[in-house]
Amino acid sequence: MFNFRKIALAVGVAAAGLSLHATAADVTGAGSSFVYPVLSKWSATFAEKTGNHVNYQSIGSGGGIAQIKADTVDFGASDKPLDAEELAKFGLGQFPSVIGGIVPAYNIDGVDSGKLVLDGKVLAGIFLGSITHWNDAAIARLNPGVKLPDAKITVVHRSDGSGTSFNFTNYLSKVSPEWKTKVGEGTAVRWPAGIGGKGNEGVAAYVKQVKNSIGYVEYAYALKNNIGYALMDNAAGKTVKPGNASFQAAAATADWAHAQDFNLIMTNAPGADAWPITATTWVIMVKQPKNAANSKVVLDFFKWSLENGQAQAQELDYVALPAALVKQIEAYWQAQFKH
Amino acid sequence: MPTAIAIETICRRNAADALHDKLFRGVLRVCALLVLAALLGAALSTLWGGREVLFGDGWHFLTSAQWNPVENRYGAWAPIYGTLVTSCIAILIAVPLSFGIALFLTEIAPLWLRTPVATAIELLAAIPSIIYGMWGLFVFVPFMANHIDPLLDSSLGRLPLVGALFRGPPLGLGLLTAGIVLAIMIVPFISSVMREVFQTVPARLKESAYALGSTTWEVVWDIILPYTRQAVIGGIFLGLGRALGETMAVTFVLGNAYDFSTSLLMPGTSISSSIANEFNEAVGLHRSALIALGFLLFVVTFVVLLIARWMLRSLKRKEGNA
Amino acid sequence: MSASVYRRRETKNVVAQILASSAALLALVFLAWILWVTVSRGVHAIGVPLFTRITAYADQGGLANAMVGSLIMDLMAIALCAPVGVLAGAHLAEYARGTRLGETIRFLNDILLSAPSIVLGLFVYVIFVLPMTALTNGTTTFSALAGSIALALIGLPVIVRTTDEMLQLVPSTLREAALSLGIPQWKLTVQVLMRAAGSGILTGVLLALARLAGETAPLLFTAFGNNYMTYSPLAKMASVPAAIYQYTNDPNPAMHAIAWAGALLITLFVLALSLLARALFSRKKTSHD
């Protein structure tokens, strides 16, 4: 045992020596897992360019908010925006970072990916458990010419609290009054039907394993794992396909100009080509930070990412923010953050 | 003169020994008290973190089965039920299995086979629990859905009374699956302690029994087990402890539903998997409710151990009378 | 009559032996099954880059920083909890047998065994990370040291439990013989009893290591994690279980292979340490006999 202790001590001493040589800044962020892949990609490129390490860990939005309030990290990231009162109380500011989409994923024999069309009301009906079979008239009406089986629907939802669930239930609450009163919106809700899978991978696995099931996953997840996803009728009444174009359309037509502190959920966006379940993640920072140098690095990082990170975001099936929105965010930085 | 010096050194040595003994005793005591402090600290911090839910809502938290983060109403019954049921299944499967393994490793297997097999089984403890979860999710759940669940549904499910436990659609996930995965995870803990203590039985005891013509089984059941019972039960507690608190593996295969269902084939939830599932995204009262669940797990464990201890004592008393 | 009794005993014995052997076989089948799944899914990711690249590069990344982090934190955790656990176990077995304090500690230790690991992580967050943040004015917040303390709390009760049991099983004749020779009790405990129970105590330490090496939840709020390489005990540090967790969440299936490969590494790491410890121990033992 004494040897162990000596080794640990030696390692520690050697390490303390090594860490003195680090000259570039190490800044830390914590929060949503939705943005983890793209933030770590951006961080790696940013590190090559500037030598600064942006260490982002996905401990969940709730964790991210708690940590930025406790001042243990330089920025937090949340899938749910904070309201003006809470921001003011803790001296925080927030801005969106990147856009992604959430898609209904299904497994029906004979109905290939992209062949099924749903709308908000029907989706809510399925997840409420009031539409129980695939050949229900409500589904058939949206899918003329598609042969739907007379089979019971198995609903799969997230079992863990997640921003994906928050955006999904937020959308259902907007389009279905029944959903709004019976279930409501949140990172975790009391699901009226179905089984729960942990994480995107859990939902994806159950959808793949259970015939005639339907769930919801991030677009990138459905795409990379060959899971069938549905098309949606959006708020403008047009049938849209998930993808860069429809996600960007949702971001562009959302009314950012009138949203104080960017407090706006993009679901059910009004644009003709907008994907109805589009989401973003907010970066949350202290307006007057104790460590101003670190905050400056964080803002530099996001400035660089928002202006130059589009290609990398696209590779990971995220969509960069529209240029107009980026301008608005940079103006917000100037006005709100001290550095 | 030389004797005087010798006596003096002995005296000095005795004094030094006494001092060392005292010091040693003190150090040991401090270490033991550290264990005490660790538990009390952890338990109290959960009590503090969960105070809003534990005390803010009367007994609602303990008596309600409703868990609704949207309305901020929290009742802990479903997770408590799930924790008890999955741990029970795990112990029911793991104890006989571990006993068999320990028996095999100490009395049956040829000598050259013992160490490699023992090491291999201990390896089961080295597999990270998230891998049990992933294996469960991708491999074991479909296996249960395709082979075990339909079999149970059509055989045991037909029985009166107990049948209700085994009826249900072949989803593959649920309380039974979680209990089985837990059993596999705790087998190495129980079996390696059992094996270790079986080896401490003095050889002459076993040899005398064998010499009297006892079979291997009789030696194990009548000599080894009574000799090591206390430690065997310690090993079972070790496994039970892990089963009650295990998080990741359970979370992936439990189906995570807060609804009650008599069937073991239906999804459920457990205290630790509720915490693991929802903690990261929870804020405010929801977070407090999850920490309160952590405190409840301490309480549940306390009660379970109390019952186990009480059963043990009455068992001893009975044996004393016989 | 006696023949039938004999036959019944013999049958019972054979059945018991068959059942016991199949129990061992069943456990081995599950081990092989899980390992096979791990290997077959992780094999694509096993290669030099896994050991040389850090997690920051995501789809072109490896586990180098996570391996270093896990190695440092696991060893620090064992260095913290093994001495304390063994000594506390010795106290229970040698000094506190039958005393009320001893019984209480033993009982509470069993409860600590099942404490959900995330709760222990939060506890360390409150008693160590937050004070550290206040003390250093935010320059040190989460740290590998905090992670090690959380892991140590997970290993501690396992070691206490096994040490206690193993020492109690040492025949009391050994104690009586030693004491009658005038050996002081501390020497008896350290040099006689612990040596006699050594293999059992070692099993406890290895089980503790096996258990804490795979933990993710307690590290989230203590060591935090890092996508870059760090060595200092006061730095935020990566770990293999946390990296596994991260990679399984990734949309890209290629990332899942890295997760499985990481799981294989943890398993092999614990296997290697346990073989090493056993080899060292058995050599020591023979040299003393």
Side-chain angles (χ1 to χ4, degrees):
Chain A
M1 289 315 111
F2 285 100
N3 282 341
F4 269 145
R5 199 178 268 174
K6 265 185 204 152
I7 292 167
L9 204 68
V11 169
V13 170
L18 277 176
S19 64
L20 288 178
H21 293 285
T23 45
D26 284 328
V27 300
T28 310
S32 152
S33 58
F34 188 67
V35 283
Y36 179 80
V38 68
L39 277 195
S40 46
K41 187 106 186 171
W42 281 344
S43 159
T45 318
F46 188 68
E48 274 166 12
K49 285 203 168 13
T50 64
N52 293 319
H53 289 171
V54 177
N55 174 27
Y56 181 74
Q57 296 295 320
S58 63
I59 62 171
S61 302
I65 294 170
Q67 295 314 325
I68 189 74
K69 284 179 184 169
D71 227 351
T72 52
V73 293
D74 299 305
F75 69 96
S78 169
D79 295 332
K80 202 174 160 179
L82 296 178
D83 58 29
E85 193 189 333
E86 201 170 4
L87 286 173
K89 190 174 161 198
F90 292 92
L92 302 171
Q94 69 186 4
F95 55 90
S97 56
V98 70
I99 302 161
I102 294 155
V103 297
Y106 62 89
N107 173 1
I108 312 170
D109 272 342
V111 184
D112 291 342
S113 181
K115 295 285 181 251
L116 185 72
V117 179
L118 298 171
D119 66 11
K121 280 238 152 42
V122 169
L123 198 58
I126 293 173
F127 275 81
L128 275 168
S130 54
I131 295 176
T132 56
H133 285 74
W134 280 114
N135 59 354
D136 191 287
I139 306 177
R141 188 176 46 82
L142 294 171
N143 295 281
V146 178
K147 201 175 154 348
L148 291 160
D150 178 15
K152 204 169 174 314
I153 302 174
T154 301
V155 169
V156 185
H157 52 76
R158 289 283 286 266
S159 67
D160 50 337
S162 81
T164 310
S165 291
F166 167 71
N167 283 292
F168 187 73
T169 53
N170 171 276
Y171 170 65
L172 294 184
S173 294
K174 278 182 184 165
V175 294
S176 159
E178 195 188 352
W179 181 274
K180 191 171 181 170
T181 52
K182 277 194 178 157
V183 184
E185 61 177 52
T187 54
V189 300
R190 190 176 167 79
W191 294 97
I195 52 176
K198 180 161 169 61
N200 275 308
E201 72 277 18
V203 172
Y206 287 148
V207 169
K208 274 184 170 174
Q209 285 166 19
V210 181
K211 285 256 175 307
N212 301 309
S213 59
I214 182 166
Y216 56 93
V217 292
E218 284 158 29
Y219 174 63
Y221 216 92
L223 210 61
K224 292 241 160 61
N225 293 276
N226 296 315
I227 302 166
Y229 54 80
L231 310 186
M232 293 286 295
D233 283 353
N234 64 13
K238 201 178 151 196
T239 303
V240 286
K241 189 177 171 320
N244 285 347
S246 62
F247 299 162
Q248 190 122 34
T253 56
D255 189 14
W256 293 107
H258 293 94
Q260 196 202 340
D261 294 312
F262 304 97
N263 189 344
L264 180 151
I265 316 275
M266 269 189 289
T267 56
N268 209 28
D273 300 312
W275 178 252
I277 327 174
T278 306
T280 187
T281 297
W282 286 263
V283 173
I284 306 171
M285 292 174 68
V286 180
K287 284 183 178 172
Q288 310 217 317
K290 265 191 220 153
N291 191 334
N294 275 11
S295 262
K296 170 126 182 27
V297 174
V298 174
L299 288 179
D300 283 347
F301 169 66
F302 280 107
K303 185 176 165 61
W304 176 85
S305 304
L306 295 183
E307 288 172 0
N308 307 293
Q310 295 95 336
Q312 288 188 326
Q314 202 156 341
E315 264 173 52
L316 297 168
D317 301 300
Y318 292 87
V319 177
L321 301 179
L325 184 52
V326 173
K327 278 224 173 69
Q328 201 185 332
I329 292 171
E330 287 173 352
Y332 180 81
W333 291 344
Q334 287 295 331
Q336 303 284 336
F337 290 117
K338 190 189 111 178
H339 58 264
Chain B
M1 279 312 267
T3 43
I5 289 171
I7 288 169
E8 199 179 313
T9 23
I10 287 170
C11 284
R12 207 181 306 137
R13 204 192 287 157
N14 276 348
D17 279 344
L19 184 70
H20 288 157
D21 255 355
K22 219 174 194 172
L23 268 175
F24 185 64
R25 216 187 164 104
V27 170
L28 257 58
R29 206 182 160 86
V30 166
C31 287
L33 288 175
L34 262 174
V35 175
L36 196 75
L39 180 91
L40 289 181
L44 286 178
S45 73
T46 53
L47 188 64
W48 178 251
R51 66 189 183 285
E52 285 170 71
V53 170
L54 283 170
F55 307 119
D57 213 358
W59 290 103
H60 180 265
F61 186 63
L62 292 179
T63 53
S64 162
Q66 202 202 19
W67 184 273
N68 191 334
V70 178
E71 289 170 10
N72 262 331
R73 298 283 290 169
Y74 303 98
W77 257 118
I80 293 176
Y81 173 76
T83 298
L84 292 177
V85 170
T86 50
S87 301
C88 250
I89 297 172
I91 285 291
L92 284 179
I93 297 173
V95 169
L97 207 60
S98 305
F99 179 64
I101 291 168
L103 173 59
F104 175 78
L105 288 176
T106 50
E107 300 298 324
I108 300 174
L111 277 178
W112 58 269
L113 197 62
R114 291 181 186 182
T115 312
V117 172
T119 312
I121 288 171
E122 267 174 35
L123 253 195
L124 275 174
I127 297 171
S129 65
I130 188 171
I131 290 309
Y132 278 98
M134 303 289 285
W135 167 79
L137 174 66
F138 290 118
V139 183
F140 195 58
V141 165
F143 175 79
M144 289 291 287
N146 295 332
H147 303 289
I148 309 292
D149 285 2
L151 192 75
L152 288 175
D153 190 43
S154 62
S155 57
L156 292 174
R158 298 260 169 86
L159 297 174
L161 286 174
V162 274
L165 288 176
F166 298 101
R167 251 168 281 172
L171 293 170
L173 46 85
L175 296 167
L176 181 65
T177 309
I180 296 175
V181 172
L182 277 181
I184 303 166
M185 296 184 72
I186 64 177
V187 154
F189 283 82
I190 304 178
S191 70
S192 59
V193 171
M194 280 187 179
R195 166 175 168 266
E196 218 33 84
V197 300
F198 284 3
Q199 284 174 343
T200 64
V201 176
R204 60 193 153 76
L205 278 184
K206 292 194 278 182
E207 280 157 12
S208 340
Y210 278 123
L212 289 172
S214 299
T215 62
T216 308
W217 170 250
E218 284 161 353
V219 169
V220 169
W221 194 251
D222 297 328
I223 309 290
I224 296 182
L225 206 55
Y227 186 88
T228 56
R229 195 184 49 212
Q230 192 74 32
V232 164
I233 285 163
I236 295 175
F237 281 169
L238 208 65
L240 181 65
R242 171 137 208 202
L244 285 168
E246 174 51 42
T247 320
M248 278 306 177
V250 178
T251 307
F252 277 96
V253 297
L254 200 46
N256 304 292
Y258 282 96
D259 304 311
F260 268 105
S261 155
T262 40
S263 173
L264 299 180
L265 305 186
M266 293 300 281
T269 186
S270 80
I271 294 178
S272 45
S273 81
S274 289
I275 300 175
N277 262 328
E278 294 175 22
F279 193 84
N280 287 357
E281 294 292 329
V283 284
L285 202 62
H286 190 190
R287 203 178 184 90
S288 174
L290 292 168
I291 297 175
L293 270 188
F295 179 73
L296 270 195
L297 186 58
F298 284 122
V299 177
V300 168
T301 315
F302 183 82
V303 172
V304 167
L305 290 182
L306 216 59
I307 294 172
R309 198 153 283 231
W310 176 76
M311 276 165 45
L312 198 69
R313 201 169 296 157
S314 63
L315 191 80
K316 257 187 198 161
R317 207 173 301 138
K318 230 182 260 165
E319 279 180 358
N321 288 342
Chain C
M1 181 63 189
S2 80
S4 87
V5 167
Y6 179 75
R7 205 176 311 127
R8 207 172 45 213
R9 286 175 56 204
E10 198 47 45
T11 322
K12 209 175 176 185
N13 188 39
V14 169
V15 169
Q17 295 208 7
I18 290 174
L19 283 179
S21 310
S22 12
L25 194 66
L26 188 66
L28 291 180
V29 165
F30 272 108
L31 175 72
W33 193 2
I34 296 168
L35 283 184
W36 166 245
V37 170
T38 312
V39 171
S40 66
R41 290 180 185 232
V43 73
H44 313 291
I46 294 174
V48 177
L50 190 70
F51 298 91
T52 55
R53 291 186 183 151
I54 58 175
T55 51
Y57 296 89
D59 49 341
Q60 287 128 42
L63 289 171
N65 55 330
M67 287 183 217
V68 169
S70 268
L71 196 67
I72 292 174
M73 286 193 288
D74 290 351
L75 292 182
M76 285 208 303
I78 282 292
L80 286 171
C81 71
V84 174
V86 169
L87 293 179
H91 181 263
L92 293 181
E94 298 304 315
Y95 291 91
R97 249 193 246 195
T99 67
R100 182 168 290 176
L101 181 69
E103 281 306 306
T104 312
I105 293 177
R106 200 167 280 144
F107 193 75
L108 293 181
N109 185 65
D110 282 348
I111 298 178
L112 193 56
L113 269 177
S114 61
S117 48
I118 193 163
V119 166
L120 295 177
L122 281 176
F123 174 53
V124 174
Y125 175 76
V126 173
I127 61 156
F128 193 82
V129 175
L130 289 182
M132 195 76 167
T133 308
L135 222 64
T136 61
N137 207 10
T139 47
T140 298
T141 54
F142 305 98
S143 65
L145 189 58
S148 308
I149 295 173
L151 292 180
L153 283 180
I154 289 162
L156 183 66
V158 178
I159 297 176
V160 172
R161 195 40 152 145
T162 32
T163 306
D164 179 18
E165 297 296 351
M166 296 305 161
L167 283 177
Q168 292 206 26
L169 279 170
V170 177
S172 47
T173 45
L174 213 57
R175 290 186 186 85
E176 287 151 14
L179 286 174
S180 69
L181 288 175
I183 292 179
Q185 193 159 10
W186 71 269
K187 253 190 191 159
L188 162 73
T189 310
V190 175
Q191 296 187 347
V192 181
L193 300 178
M194 283 197 185
R195 191 156 291 163
S199 135
I201 293 175
L202 188 69
T203 301
V205 174
L206 290 174
L207 283 176
L209 177 70
R211 179 155 179 192
L212 64 84
E215 285 288 352
T216 319
L219 293 175
L220 281 182
F221 302 101
T222 52
F224 188 68
N226 206 324
N227 285 335
Y228 297 91
M229 184 73 91
T230 49
Y231 304 97
S232 161
L234 293 181
K236 300 174 184 76
M237 196 174 273
S239 64
V240 178
I244 292 176
Y245 187 70
Q246 205 59 262
Y247 278 132
T248 53
N249 253 315
D250 200 283
N252 186 352
M255 301 288 93
H256 300 182
I258 301 185
W260 291 102
L264 193 62
L265 281 180
I266 293 186
T267 315
L268 291 178
F269 169 65
V270 176
L271 174 69
L273 273 184
S274 104
L275 290 180
L276 188 75
R278 274 183 203 290
L280 284 176
F281 184 79
S282 63
R283 198 175 336 131
K284 225 186 208 166
K285 200 173 177 184
T286 45
S287 72
H288 275 287
D289 278 345

